[in-house]
Amino acid sequence: MRRLRYVFMSLAALFMAVPAFAQSAGSTGGSSNSFVPLAAGIGMGIASGFCGIGQGLAALGATQGVSRNPGARPLIQFMFILGLAFIESLALFTMVIIFAKVR
């Protein structure tokens, strides 16, 4: 519980710092798009990592479900493949957004 409190306090501090990054390019002296490729790479890495974790947990649940009830294998397999498609679509949507934003 204590660790969760620190996570939320850190997120609150980050959200309060957002207006500092909302300045125009003329007032900072640099390009406002200089961090976009870096942020895109970090975002794709996070999306891919969590999609991998989600797919692993889905496979874990499907194998446990089939081992406990082999008669439900067709339904579990269908839901497993559908879930994997939805999980993978999140990473693909992230990649599409990155290609649209980074030039």
Side-chain angles (χ1 to χ4, degrees):
M1 190 69 179
R2 188 175 178 98
R3 186 179 297 165
L4 190 61
R5 188 173 75 196
Y6 287 131
V7 168
F8 285 127
M9 287 174 28
S10 299
L11 286 174
L14 288 173
F15 287 138
M16 286 188 283
V18 168
F21 295 112
Q23 298 175 357
S24 65
S27 64
T28 60
S31 174
S32 64
N33 292 332
S34 62
F35 292 113
V36 172
L38 178 65
I42 291 172
M44 190 64 206
I46 290 171
S48 298
F50 283 120
C51 284
I53 291 171
Q55 287 177 347
L57 291 175
L60 172 75
T63 54
Q64 285 181 349
V66 169
S67 66
R68 291 181 182 173
N69 188 4
R73 187 195 58 79
L75 179 62
I76 292 173
Q77 184 179 6
F78 172 74
M79 296 303 283
F80 173 62
I81 292 172
L82 184 66
L84 288 181
F86 285 145
I87 291 169
E88 190 63 32
S89 71
L90 294 175
L92 293 175
F93 289 148
T94 304
M95 189 174 64
V96 168
I97 290 170
I98 288 171
F99 280 143
K101 193 68 177 169
V102 178
R103 289 176 220 156

